[in-house]
Structures are given as structure tokens and as C-alpha cells.
Amino acid sequence: MKLRLNPLVSDIVILVYILTTLFLRFKFENENPVSTMNSVVIGLCFIVILWVLIKLKVLNPNWFGLIKTKKPSHDL
């Protein structure tokens, strides 16, 4: 049985994840001298984690209804 979150919960999890990672990055980079390349790599790692969760269908974002998805037509 796979863990799959419904679209609204997925949107909320993604929003909280993005805000938390941004806060942690800004806090960490403010306290410690971090080069630009390290900052980019850290940011990409956080994005890859989110991308993998979406590709594995653990997160099923609806993008808060902003992006309309095309429904497949069932014409026979």
C-alpha cells in the first residue's frame, strides 16, 4: 500500500516544506559563511527531494486550483 496524500493536503505540505526550507537556508547562511555555489547546491537538493516525492505520487499537488489539468477524453 502506497502512501498517497490528497491534493489539498499535498498543497499544504508543499507550501510548508518550501517556507521551512527557505527559512532554514536563510538562517543557516546568515549565521555561517556559505559560498554561492554551496547555496545553489543546497537549494537544488531541497527541490530534488520535493520533485521525487511528486514523481513517486506521494504528493499529488493541485497547485491550489490555479493550474487547470486536462482531463482525458473518453471518446471511443
Side-chain angles (χ1 to χ4, degrees):
M1 183 173 156
K2 279 179 129 177
L3 175 65
R4 295 186 73 184
L5 300 176
N6 69 12
L8 181 60
V9 174
S10 294
D11 288 342
I12 293 170
V13 167
I14 290 170
L15 181 65
V16 169
Y17 176 81
I18 290 172
L19 293 176
T20 303
T21 56
L22 279 175
F23 172 74
L24 291 175
R25 281 184 63 205
F26 287 142
K27 184 175 187 227
F28 174 73
E29 292 174 9
N30 191 25
E31 293 173 356
N32 303 314
V34 177
S35 71
T36 304
M37 193 61 181
N38 286 341
S39 177
V40 169
V41 169
I42 292 169
L44 285 175
C45 289
F46 284 136
I47 290 172
V48 166
I49 291 169
L50 192 59
W51 178 78
V52 166
L53 289 173
I54 291 171
K55 283 297 180 185
L56 290 175
K57 304 267 186 208
V58 173
L59 296 175
N60 301 303
N62 187 20
W63 310 114
F64 294 106
L66 295 175
I67 299 175
K68 302 292 181 194
T69 57
K70 294 181 181 179
K71 294 184 181 178
S73 61
H74 297 290
D75 296 336
L76 295 177

